[in-house]
Amino acid sequence: FFLCWNPPCRMSPDNNSLVMALQQAQIKLLAVDFDLTLVDTHTRGCWAGTVGELTSKARPYMKHLVDRALLADIHVAIVTFSPQVTGISFSFIARAGVTHI
């Protein structure tokens, strides 16, 4: 099952229905790209700003999707080609408001 989905920022997708569809398909892992998907910017692998500045770029519906998936016992992986994983990962997730890790 592969889902490629990247709606315009003005849309409000129904994440609950999406998570229900993932459950019905017995999906156990949701992989979410970081740049231009979880956040609305591309870090280009060299983000010079603060974690707080990057967190402000998080797309609200993507944070909601991750939260809903975790509540539904679906594992979530944030994927990226960025070499800055260590510097931003844990701080970003905590500040982005993902509450069920």
Side-chain angles (χ1 to χ4, degrees):
F1 186 88
F2 179 77
L3 174 66
C4 182
W5 177 70
N6 193 7
C9 293
R10 66 182 175 276
M11 290 181 66
S12 290
D14 182 357
N15 288 329
N16 293 327
S17 295
L18 180 56
V19 169
M20 285 176 49
L22 293 173
Q23 287 178 301
Q24 289 173 351
Q26 297 182 340
I27 300 300
K28 303 291 182 206
L29 173 69
L30 172 66
V32 179
D33 183 51
F34 187 76
D35 290 316
L36 291 174
T37 305
L38 183 61
V39 294
D40 65 2
T41 192
H42 200 298
T43 64
R44 308 217 184 285
C46 57
W47 182 258
T50 67
V51 171
E53 290 168 338
L54 186 56
T55 302
S56 73
K57 304 284 186 188
R59 296 179 189 209
Y61 59 85
M62 292 304 295
K63 291 189 313 186
H64 185 258
L65 173 61
V66 168
D67 214 25
R68 294 290 128 225
L70 291 170
L71 283 171
D73 292 326
I74 297 172
H75 298 278
V76 176
I78 308 301
V79 297
T80 185
F81 285 112
S82 174
Q84 292 184 302
V85 173
T86 305
I88 61 173
S89 59
F90 294 113
S91 296
F92 181 85
I93 290 170
R95 287 186 171 199
V98 177
T99 58
H100 297 88
I101 296 177

Coordinates of all heavy atoms in Angstrom, one line a residue:
F1 N 0.9 -1.2 0.0 CA 0.0 0.0 0.0 C 0.9 1.2 0.0 O 1.7 1.4 0.9 CB -0.9 0.0 1.3 CG -1.9 1.0 1.3 CD1 -3.2 0.8 0.7 CD2 -1.7 2.2 1.9 CE1 -4.2 1.8 0.8 CE2 -2.6 3.2 2.0 CZ -3.9 3.0 1.4
F2 N 0.8 2.0 -1.0 CA 1.6 3.2 -1.1 C 0.7 4.4 -1.3 O -0.2 4.4 -2.2 CB 2.6 3.1 -2.2 CG 3.5 4.3 -2.4 CD1 4.5 4.6 -1.6 CD2 3.2 5.3 -3.4 CE1 5.3 5.7 -1.7 CE2 4.0 6.4 -3.5 CZ 5.0 6.6 -2.7
L3 N 0.9 5.4 -0.5 CA 0.0 6.6 -0.6 C 0.9 7.8 -0.9 O 1.8 8.1 0.0 CB -0.8 6.8 0.6 CG -1.6 8.1 0.7 CD1 -2.7 8.1 -0.3 CD2 -2.2 8.2 2.1
C4 N 0.7 8.5 -1.9 CA 1.5 9.7 -2.2 C 0.5 10.8 -2.1 O -0.4 10.9 -2.9 CB 2.1 9.7 -3.6 SG 3.1 11.1 -4.0
W5 N 0.6 11.7 -1.1 CA -0.4 12.7 -0.8 C 0.3 13.9 -0.3 O 1.0 13.9 0.6 CB -1.3 12.1 0.3 CG -2.4 13.0 0.7 CD1 -3.5 13.4 0.0 CD2 -2.5 13.6 2.0 NE1 -4.2 14.2 0.8 CE2 -3.7 14.4 2.0 CE3 -1.7 13.6 3.1 CZ2 -4.1 15.1 3.1 CZ3 -2.1 14.3 4.2 CH2 -3.3 15.0 4.2
N6 N 0.0 15.0 -1.0 CA 0.6 16.3 -0.6 C -0.4 17.4 -1.0 O -0.2 18.1 -2.1 CB 2.0 16.5 -1.3 CG 2.7 17.7 -0.6 OD1 2.3 18.2 0.3 ND2 3.8 18.0 -1.2
P7 N -1.4 17.6 -0.2 CA -2.4 18.6 -0.6 C -1.9 20.0 -0.4 O -1.0 20.3 0.3 CB -3.6 18.4 0.4 CG -2.9 17.8 1.6 CD -1.7 17.0 1.0
P8 N -2.5 21.0 -1.1 CA -2.2 22.4 -0.8 C -2.4 22.7 0.6 O -3.3 22.2 1.2 CB -3.1 23.2 -1.8 CG -3.6 22.2 -2.8 CD -3.5 20.8 -2.1
C9 N -1.7 23.7 1.1 CA -1.8 24.1 2.6 C -3.2 24.5 3.0 O -3.6 24.4 4.1 CB -0.8 25.2 2.9 SG 0.9 24.6 2.8
R10 N -3.9 25.1 2.0 CA -5.3 25.6 2.4 C -6.3 24.5 2.6 O -7.4 24.8 3.1 CB -5.7 26.6 1.3 CG -6.0 25.9 0.0 CD -6.5 27.0 -1.0 NE -6.6 26.4 -2.3 CZ -5.7 26.2 -3.2 NH1 -4.4 26.5 -2.9 NH2 -5.9 25.7 -4.4
M11 N -6.0 23.3 2.2 CA -7.0 22.2 2.4 C -6.9 21.7 3.9 O -5.9 21.8 4.6 CB -6.6 21.0 1.5 CG -6.9 21.3 0.1 SD -6.5 19.8 -1.0 CE -7.7 18.7 -0.4
S12 N -8.1 21.2 4.3 CA -8.1 20.5 5.6 C -8.5 19.1 5.4 O -9.7 18.7 5.5 CB -9.2 21.3 6.5 OG -8.7 22.5 6.9
P13 N -7.6 18.2 5.2 CA -7.9 16.8 4.9 C -8.5 16.2 6.2 O -8.2 16.6 7.3 CB -6.6 16.2 4.5 CG -5.6 17.1 5.1 CD -6.2 18.5 5.1
D14 N -9.2 15.1 6.1 CA -9.8 14.4 7.2 C -8.8 13.3 7.6 O -8.9 12.2 7.0 CB -11.2 13.8 6.8 CG -11.8 13.1 7.9 OD1 -11.2 13.0 9.0 OD2 -13.0 12.6 7.7
N15 N -7.9 13.7 8.5 CA -6.9 12.7 8.9 C -7.5 11.5 9.6 O -6.9 10.4 9.6 CB -5.9 13.4 9.9 CG -5.0 14.3 9.1 OD1 -4.7 14.1 7.9 ND2 -4.6 15.4 9.7
N16 N -8.6 11.7 10.3 CA -9.2 10.5 11.0 C -9.6 9.4 9.9 O -9.4 8.3 10.2 CB -10.4 10.9 11.8 CG -10.0 11.8 13.0 OD1 -8.9 11.6 13.5 ND2 -10.9 12.8 13.3
S17 N -10.2 9.9 8.8 CA -10.6 8.9 7.8 C -9.3 8.3 7.1 O -9.3 7.1 6.8 CB -11.4 9.6 6.7 OG -12.6 10.1 7.2
L18 N -8.3 9.1 7.0 CA -7.1 8.6 6.4 C -6.5 7.5 7.3 O -6.1 6.4 6.9 CB -6.1 9.7 6.2 CG -4.7 9.3 5.6 CD1 -4.9 8.5 4.3 CD2 -3.8 10.5 5.4
V19 N -6.4 7.8 8.6 CA -5.9 6.8 9.6 C -6.8 5.5 9.6 O -6.3 4.4 9.7 CB -5.7 7.4 11.0 CG1 -5.4 6.4 12.0 CG2 -4.6 8.5 10.9
M20 N -8.1 5.7 9.5 CA -9.0 4.5 9.5 C -8.7 3.7 8.2 O -8.7 2.5 8.3 CB -10.4 5.0 9.5 CG -10.9 5.4 10.9 SD -12.6 6.1 11.0 CE -13.5 4.9 10.1
A21 N -8.4 4.3 7.1 CA -8.1 3.6 5.9 C -6.8 2.8 6.0 O -6.6 1.7 5.6 CB -8.0 4.5 4.7
L22 N -5.8 3.5 6.7 CA -4.5 2.8 7.0 C -4.7 1.6 7.9 O -4.2 0.5 7.6 CB -3.5 3.8 7.6 CG -3.0 4.9 6.8 CD1 -2.2 5.9 7.6 CD2 -2.3 4.4 5.5
Q23 N -5.6 1.7 8.9 CA -5.9 0.6 9.8 C -6.6 -0.5 9.0 O -6.2 -1.7 9.2 CB -6.7 1.0 10.9 CG -6.0 1.9 12.0 CD -7.0 2.3 13.1 OE1 -7.9 3.0 12.8 NE2 -6.6 1.9 14.3
Q24 N -7.5 -0.2 8.2 CA -8.3 -1.2 7.4 C -7.3 -2.0 6.5 O -7.5 -3.1 6.2 CB -9.4 -0.6 6.7 CG -10.5 -0.2 7.6 CD -11.6 0.6 6.9 OE1 -11.5 1.0 5.7 NE2 -12.7 0.9 7.6
A25 N -6.3 -1.3 6.0 CA -5.3 -1.9 5.1 C -4.2 -2.6 5.9 O -3.3 -3.1 5.3 CB -4.7 -0.9 4.1
Q26 N -4.4 -2.6 7.2 CA -3.4 -3.2 8.1 C -2.0 -2.7 8.0 O -1.0 -3.4 8.1 CB -3.4 -4.8 7.9 CG -4.8 -5.4 8.3 CD -4.8 -6.9 8.2 OE1 -4.0 -7.5 7.5 NE2 -5.8 -7.5 8.8
I27 N -1.9 -1.4 7.7 CA -0.7 -0.7 7.7 C -0.1 -0.5 9.1 O -0.8 -0.1 10.0 CB -0.8 0.7 7.0 CG1 -1.4 0.6 5.6 CG2 0.5 1.5 7.1 CD1 -0.5 -0.2 4.6
K28 N 1.1 -0.9 9.3 CA 1.7 -0.8 10.6 C 2.7 0.3 10.7 O 3.1 0.7 11.8 CB 2.5 -2.1 10.9 CG 1.6 -3.4 10.8 CD 0.7 -3.4 11.9 CE -0.2 -4.7 11.9 NZ -1.5 -4.6 12.5
L29 N 3.1 0.9 9.6 CA 4.1 2.0 9.6 C 3.8 3.1 8.6 O 3.5 2.8 7.4 CB 5.5 1.4 9.3 CG 6.6 2.5 9.1 CD1 7.0 3.1 10.4 CD2 7.9 1.8 8.5
L30 N 3.7 4.3 9.1 CA 3.5 5.5 8.2 C 4.8 6.2 8.2 O 5.3 6.7 9.2 CB 2.4 6.4 8.8 CG 2.2 7.7 8.2 CD1 1.7 7.5 6.7 CD2 1.2 8.5 9.0
A31 N 5.4 6.4 7.0 CA 6.6 7.1 6.8 C 6.3 8.5 6.2 O 5.6 8.5 5.2 CB 7.6 6.4 5.9
V32 N 6.7 9.5 6.8 CA 6.4 10.9 6.4 C 7.7 11.6 6.1 O 8.6 11.7 6.9 CB 5.7 11.6 7.6 CG1 5.4 13.1 7.1 CG2 4.4 10.9 7.9
D33 N 7.8 12.2 4.9 CA 9.0 12.9 4.5 C 9.0 14.2 5.3 O 7.9 14.8 5.7 CB 8.9 13.2 3.0 CG 10.2 14.0 2.6 OD1 11.3 13.6 2.9 OD2 10.0 15.0 1.9
F34 N 10.2 14.7 5.6 CA 10.3 15.9 6.5 C 10.2 17.2 5.6 O 9.2 17.9 5.7 CB 11.7 15.9 7.2 CG 11.8 17.0 8.2 CD1 11.1 17.0 9.4 CD2 12.6 18.1 7.9 CE1 11.2 18.0 10.3 CE2 12.7 19.2 8.8 CZ 12.0 19.1 10.0
D35 N 11.2 17.4 4.7 CA 11.2 18.7 3.9 C 10.0 18.7 2.9 O 9.8 17.8 2.2 CB 12.5 18.8 3.2 CG 13.7 19.1 4.1 OD1 13.6 19.9 4.9 OD2 14.7 18.4 3.9
L36 N 9.3 19.8 3.0 CA 8.2 20.1 2.1 C 7.0 19.2 2.3 O 6.1 19.1 1.4 CB 8.6 20.2 0.6 CG 9.5 21.4 0.3 CD1 10.0 21.2 -1.2 CD2 8.8 22.7 0.5
T37 N 7.0 18.4 3.3 CA 5.8 17.5 3.6 C 5.4 17.8 5.1 O 4.4 18.4 5.3 CB 6.1 16.1 3.4 OG1 6.6 15.9 2.0 CG2 4.9 15.2 3.6
L38 N 6.2 17.4 6.0 CA 5.9 17.6 7.4 C 6.1 19.1 7.7 O 5.3 19.7 8.4 CB 6.9 16.8 8.4 CG 6.6 17.0 9.9 CD1 5.2 16.5 10.2 CD2 7.6 16.3 10.7
V39 N 7.1 19.7 7.1 CA 7.2 21.2 7.2 C 7.0 21.8 5.8 O 7.2 21.1 4.8 CB 8.6 21.6 7.8 CG1 8.8 21.2 9.2 CG2 9.7 21.0 6.9
D40 N 6.6 23.1 5.8 CA 6.3 23.7 4.5 C 7.5 24.4 3.9 O 7.4 25.4 3.1 CB 5.2 24.7 4.7 CG 5.5 25.8 5.6 OD1 6.6 26.0 6.1 OD2 4.5 26.7 5.8
T41 N 8.7 24.0 4.2 CA 9.9 24.5 3.7 C 10.9 23.4 3.4 O 10.7 22.3 3.8 CB 10.5 25.6 4.7 OG1 11.6 26.3 4.0 CG2 11.1 24.9 5.9
H42 N 11.9 23.8 2.6 CA 13.0 22.8 2.4 C 14.3 23.3 3.1 O 14.7 24.4 2.8 CB 13.3 22.7 0.9 CG 14.0 21.4 0.5 ND1 15.2 21.1 1.0 CD2 13.6 20.3 -0.2 CE1 15.6 19.9 0.5 NE2 14.6 19.4 -0.2
T43 N 14.8 22.5 4.0 CA 16.0 22.9 4.8 C 17.2 22.8 4.0 O 18.3 23.3 4.4 CB 16.1 22.0 6.0 OG1 16.4 20.6 5.6 CG2 14.9 22.0 6.9
R44 N 17.2 22.1 2.9 CA 18.4 21.9 2.0 C 19.6 21.3 2.8 O 20.7 21.4 2.4 CB 18.8 23.2 1.3 CG 17.7 23.9 0.6 CD 18.1 24.6 -0.6 NE 17.0 25.3 -1.3 CZ 16.0 24.7 -1.9 NH1 15.9 23.4 -2.0 NH2 15.1 25.5 -2.5
G45 N 19.3 20.6 3.9 CA 20.3 20.0 4.7 C 21.2 20.9 5.4 O 22.2 20.4 6.0
C46 N 20.8 22.2 5.5 CA 21.7 23.1 6.2 C 20.9 24.2 6.9 O 21.1 25.4 6.7 CB 22.7 23.7 5.2 SG 22.0 24.5 3.8
W47 N 19.9 23.8 7.7 CA 19.0 24.7 8.4 C 19.9 25.5 9.3 O 20.5 25.0 10.2 CB 17.9 24.0 9.1 CG 17.0 24.9 9.8 CD1 17.0 25.2 11.2 CD2 16.0 25.7 9.2 NE1 16.0 26.1 11.4 CE2 15.3 26.5 10.3 CE3 15.5 25.9 7.9 CZ2 14.3 27.3 10.0 CZ3 14.5 26.8 7.7 CH2 13.9 27.5 8.7
A48 N 19.9 26.8 9.2 CA 20.7 27.7 10.0 C 19.9 28.3 11.2 O 20.5 28.9 12.1 CB 21.4 28.8 9.2
G49 N 18.6 28.2 11.1 CA 17.7 28.8 12.1 C 17.6 27.9 13.3 O 18.3 26.9 13.5
T50 N 16.8 28.4 14.3 CA 16.6 27.6 15.5 C 15.6 26.5 15.3 O 14.9 26.5 14.3 CB 16.1 28.6 16.6 OG1 14.8 29.0 16.3 CG2 17.0 29.8 16.8
V51 N 15.6 25.6 16.3 CA 14.5 24.6 16.2 C 13.2 25.2 16.3 O 12.2 24.7 15.6 CB 14.8 23.5 17.4 CG1 13.6 22.6 17.5 CG2 16.1 22.8 17.2
G52 N 13.0 26.2 17.1 CA 11.7 26.9 17.2 C 11.3 27.5 15.9 O 10.1 27.4 15.5
E53 N 12.2 28.1 15.1 CA 11.9 28.6 13.8 C 11.4 27.5 12.8 O 10.5 27.7 12.1 CB 13.0 29.4 13.2 CG 13.3 30.7 14.0 CD 14.7 31.3 13.6 OE1 15.6 30.6 13.1 OE2 14.8 32.5 13.8
L54 N 12.1 26.4 12.9 CA 11.8 25.3 12.0 C 10.4 24.7 12.5 O 9.6 24.3 11.6 CB 12.9 24.2 12.1 CG 12.7 23.1 11.1 CD1 12.6 23.5 9.7 CD2 13.9 22.1 11.2
T55 N 10.2 24.6 13.7 CA 8.9 24.0 14.2 C 7.8 24.9 13.8 O 6.7 24.3 13.4 CB 8.9 24.0 15.8 OG1 10.0 23.2 16.2 CG2 7.7 23.4 16.3
S56 N 8.0 26.2 13.7 CA 6.9 27.0 13.2 C 6.5 26.8 11.7 O 5.5 27.2 11.3 CB 7.3 28.5 13.4 OG 8.2 28.9 12.4
K57 N 7.4 26.0 11.0 CA 7.1 25.7 9.6 C 6.3 24.4 9.5 O 6.0 24.0 8.4 CB 8.4 25.5 8.9 CG 9.3 26.7 8.9 CD 8.8 27.8 8.0 CE 9.8 29.0 7.9 NZ 9.3 30.1 7.2
A58 N 6.0 23.7 10.6 CA 5.3 22.5 10.6 C 3.9 22.7 10.1 O 3.2 23.6 10.5 CB 5.3 21.8 12.0
R59 N 3.4 21.8 9.2 CA 2.1 21.9 8.7 C 1.1 21.3 9.7 O 1.3 20.2 10.2 CB 1.9 21.1 7.4 CG 2.8 21.7 6.3 CD 2.7 21.0 5.0 NE 3.7 21.5 4.1 CZ 3.5 21.4 2.8 NH1 2.4 20.9 2.3 NH2 4.5 21.9 2.0
P60 N 0.1 22.1 10.2 CA -0.8 21.6 11.2 C -1.5 20.3 10.9 O -1.6 19.4 11.8 CB -1.8 22.7 11.4 CG -1.1 24.0 10.9 CD -0.2 23.5 9.8
Y61 N -1.9 20.1 9.7 CA -2.6 18.8 9.4 C -1.7 17.7 9.4 O -2.1 16.5 9.7 CB -3.4 18.9 8.1 CG -2.6 19.2 6.8 CD1 -1.9 18.3 6.1 CD2 -2.5 20.6 6.4 CE1 -1.2 18.5 5.0 CE2 -1.8 20.9 5.2 CZ -1.2 19.8 4.5 OH -0.4 20.2 3.4
M62 N -0.4 17.9 9.1 CA 0.6 16.8 9.2 C 0.9 16.4 10.6 O 1.0 15.2 11.0 CB 1.9 17.2 8.4 CG 1.7 17.3 6.9 SD 1.0 15.8 6.1 CE 2.3 14.6 6.4
K63 N 1.0 17.4 11.5 CA 1.1 17.1 13.0 C 0.0 16.3 13.4 O 0.1 15.4 14.2 CB 1.3 18.4 13.8 CG 2.6 19.2 13.5 CD 2.8 20.3 14.5 CE 1.6 21.2 14.7 NZ 1.9 22.4 15.5
H64 N -1.2 16.7 13.0 CA -2.5 16.0 13.4 C -2.5 14.6 12.9 O -2.8 13.6 13.6 CB -3.7 16.8 12.9 CG -5.0 16.2 13.3 ND1 -5.8 15.4 12.5 CD2 -5.6 16.2 14.5 CE1 -6.8 15.0 13.2 NE2 -6.8 15.5 14.4
L65 N -2.0 14.4 11.6 CA -2.0 13.1 11.0 C -1.0 12.2 11.8 O -1.4 11.0 12.2 CB -1.5 13.1 9.6 CG -1.2 11.8 8.9 CD1 -2.5 10.9 8.9 CD2 -0.7 12.0 7.5
V66 N 0.2 12.7 12.2 CA 1.1 11.9 12.9 C 0.5 11.5 14.3 O 0.6 10.4 14.7 CB 2.5 12.7 13.1 CG1 3.4 12.0 14.1 CG2 3.2 12.8 11.7
D67 N -0.1 12.5 14.9 CA -0.7 12.2 16.3 C -1.8 11.2 16.2 O -1.8 10.3 17.0 CB -1.2 13.6 16.8 CG -1.1 13.7 18.3 OD1 -0.2 13.0 18.9 OD2 -1.9 14.4 18.9
R68 N -2.7 11.3 15.2 CA -3.8 10.3 15.0 C -3.2 8.9 14.7 O -3.7 7.9 15.2 CB -4.7 10.7 13.9 CG -5.5 12.0 14.1 CD -6.6 11.8 15.1 NE -6.4 12.9 16.1 CZ -6.3 12.8 17.4 NH1 -6.6 11.8 18.0 NH2 -6.1 13.9 18.1
A69 N -2.2 8.9 13.9 CA -1.6 7.6 13.6 C -1.0 6.9 14.8 O -1.2 5.7 15.1 CB -0.5 7.7 12.5
L70 N -0.3 7.7 15.6 CA 0.3 7.1 16.8 C -0.8 6.7 17.8 O -0.6 5.6 18.4 CB 1.2 8.2 17.5 CG 2.5 8.5 16.7 CD1 3.2 9.7 17.3 CD2 3.4 7.3 16.7
L71 N -1.9 7.4 17.9 CA -3.0 7.0 18.8 C -3.6 5.7 18.3 O -4.1 5.0 19.1 CB -4.0 8.1 18.9 CG -3.7 9.3 19.7 CD1 -4.7 10.4 19.6 CD2 -3.6 8.9 21.2
A72 N -3.5 5.5 17.0 CA -4.1 4.2 16.4 C -3.1 3.1 16.4 O -3.3 2.1 15.7 CB -4.6 4.5 15.0
D73 N -2.0 3.3 17.1 CA -0.9 2.2 17.2 C -0.3 1.9 15.9 O 0.2 0.8 15.6 CB -1.5 0.9 17.8 CG -1.8 1.1 19.3 OD1 -1.1 1.9 20.0 OD2 -2.8 0.4 19.7
I74 N -0.2 3.0 15.0 CA 0.6 2.9 13.8 C 1.9 3.6 14.1 O 2.0 4.7 14.5 CB -0.2 3.6 12.6 CG1 -1.5 2.9 12.3 CG2 0.7 3.7 11.4 CD1 -2.4 3.6 11.3
H75 N 3.0 2.9 13.8 CA 4.3 3.4 14.0 C 4.5 4.5 12.9 O 4.0 4.4 11.8 CB 5.4 2.4 13.8 CG 5.3 1.3 14.8 ND1 5.8 1.4 16.1 CD2 4.7 0.0 14.7 CE1 5.6 0.3 16.8 NE2 4.9 -0.5 16.0
V76 N 5.2 5.6 13.3 CA 5.5 6.7 12.4 C 7.0 6.9 12.3 O 7.7 7.0 13.3 CB 4.8 8.0 12.9 CG1 5.2 9.2 12.0 CG2 3.3 7.8 13.0
A77 N 7.5 7.0 11.0 CA 8.9 7.3 10.8 C 8.9 8.6 10.0 O 8.2 8.8 9.1 CB 9.5 6.2 10.0
I78 N 9.7 9.5 10.5 CA 10.0 10.8 9.8 C 11.3 10.5 9.0 O 12.3 10.2 9.6 CB 10.2 12.0 10.8 CG1 9.0 12.1 11.8 CG2 10.4 13.3 10.0 CD1 7.6 12.2 11.2
V79 N 11.2 10.7 7.7 CA 12.3 10.3 6.8 C 12.8 11.6 6.2 O 12.1 12.5 5.9 CB 11.9 9.3 5.8 CG1 11.5 8.0 6.5 CG2 10.8 9.7 4.9
T80 N 14.2 11.6 5.9 CA 14.8 12.7 5.3 C 16.2 12.3 4.7 O 16.7 11.3 5.2 CB 15.0 13.9 6.3 OG1 15.5 15.0 5.6 CG2 15.9 13.5 7.4
F81 N 16.6 13.1 3.8 CA 18.0 12.9 3.3 C 18.9 13.9 4.0 O 20.1 13.9 3.7 CB 18.1 13.1 1.7 CG 17.5 12.0 0.9 CD1 16.3 12.1 0.2 CD2 18.2 10.8 0.9 CE1 15.8 11.1 -0.5 CE2 17.7 9.7 0.2 CZ 16.5 9.9 -0.6
S82 N 18.4 14.7 4.8 CA 19.2 15.7 5.5 C 20.2 15.1 6.4 O 19.9 14.2 7.1 CB 18.3 16.7 6.3 OG 19.1 17.6 7.1
P83 N 21.4 15.7 6.4 CA 22.5 15.2 7.4 C 22.3 15.8 8.8 O 23.0 15.4 9.7 CB 23.8 15.7 6.7 CG 23.4 16.9 6.0 CD 22.0 16.7 5.5
Q84 N 21.3 16.6 9.0 CA 21.1 17.3 10.3 C 20.1 16.6 11.2 O 19.6 17.2 12.1 CB 20.6 18.7 10.0 CG 21.6 19.7 9.4 CD 21.0 21.1 9.3 OE1 20.0 21.3 8.7 NE2 21.7 22.0 9.9
V85 N 19.9 15.3 11.0 CA 19.0 14.5 11.8 C 19.2 14.7 13.3 O 18.3 14.9 14.1 CB 18.9 13.1 11.4 CG1 18.1 12.2 12.3 CG2 18.5 13.0 9.9
T86 N 20.4 14.5 13.7 CA 20.7 14.5 15.2 C 20.4 15.8 15.8 O 19.8 15.9 16.9 CB 22.2 14.2 15.4 OG1 22.4 12.9 14.8 CG2 22.5 14.1 16.9
G87 N 20.7 16.9 15.1 CA 20.5 18.2 15.7 C 19.1 18.7 15.8 O 18.8 19.5 16.7
I88 N 18.2 18.2 15.0 CA 16.8 18.7 15.1 C 15.7 17.7 15.4 O 14.6 18.1 15.9 CB 16.4 19.3 13.7 CG1 16.4 18.3 12.6 CG2 17.3 20.5 13.4 CD1 15.9 18.8 11.3
S89 N 16.0 16.4 15.3 CA 14.9 15.4 15.4 C 14.2 15.4 16.7 O 13.0 15.7 16.7 CB 15.4 14.0 15.1 OG 16.5 13.7 16.1
F90 N 14.8 15.2 17.9 CA 14.1 15.1 19.1 C 13.5 16.4 19.6 O 12.4 16.5 20.0 CB 15.0 14.5 20.2 CG 15.3 13.1 20.0 CD1 16.6 12.7 19.7 CD2 14.4 12.1 19.9 CE1 17.0 11.4 19.4 CE2 14.7 10.8 19.7 CZ 16.0 10.4 19.4
S91 N 14.3 17.5 19.4 CA 13.8 18.8 19.8 C 12.6 19.2 18.9 O 11.6 19.7 19.4 CB 14.9 19.8 19.7 OG 15.9 19.5 20.6
F92 N 12.7 18.9 17.6 CA 11.6 19.3 16.7 C 10.3 18.6 17.1 O 9.3 19.2 17.2 CB 12.0 19.1 15.3 CG 10.9 19.5 14.3 CD1 10.8 20.8 13.9 CD2 9.9 18.6 13.9 CE1 9.8 21.2 13.1 CE2 8.9 19.0 13.1 CZ 8.8 20.3 12.7
I93 N 10.4 17.3 17.2 CA 9.2 16.5 17.5 C 8.6 16.9 18.8 O 7.4 17.1 18.9 CB 9.6 15.0 17.6 CG1 9.9 14.5 16.1 CG2 8.4 14.2 18.1 CD1 10.5 13.1 16.1
A94 N 9.3 17.2 19.8 CA 8.8 17.7 21.1 C 8.1 19.0 20.9 O 7.0 19.3 21.4 CB 9.8 17.7 22.2
R95 N 8.8 19.9 20.3 CA 8.2 21.3 20.1 C 7.1 21.4 19.1 O 6.3 22.3 19.1 CB 9.3 22.3 19.7 CG 10.2 22.6 20.8 CD 11.2 23.7 20.3 NE 12.0 24.1 21.4 CZ 12.6 25.3 21.4 NH1 12.6 26.1 20.4 NH2 13.3 25.7 22.5
A96 N 7.0 20.4 18.2 CA 6.0 20.4 17.2 C 4.6 20.0 17.7 O 3.6 20.1 17.1 CB 6.3 19.5 16.0
G97 N 4.6 19.5 18.9 CA 3.3 19.2 19.6 C 2.9 17.8 19.3 O 1.7 17.5 19.5
V98 N 3.8 16.9 18.9 CA 3.4 15.5 18.7 C 3.4 15.0 20.2 O 4.4 15.0 20.9 CB 4.5 14.8 17.9 CG1 4.1 13.3 17.8 CG2 4.5 15.3 16.5
T99 N 2.3 14.5 20.6 CA 2.1 14.2 22.0 C 2.1 12.7 22.3 O 2.1 12.4 23.5 CB 0.8 14.8 22.5 OG1 -0.3 14.2 21.7 CG2 0.8 16.3 22.4
H100 N 2.2 11.9 21.4 CA 2.1 10.4 21.7 C 3.3 9.7 21.1 O 3.1 9.0 20.1 CB 0.8 9.9 21.2 CG -0.4 10.5 21.8 ND1 -1.0 11.6 21.4 CD2 -1.1 10.1 22.9 CE1 -2.0 11.9 22.2 NE2 -2.0 11.1 23.1
I101 N 4.4 9.9 21.7 CA 5.6 9.2 21.2 C 5.9 8.0 22.0 O 5.8 7.9 23.2 CB 6.9 10.2 21.2 CG1 6.6 11.3 20.3 CG2 8.1 9.5 20.8 CD1 7.6 12.4 20.3

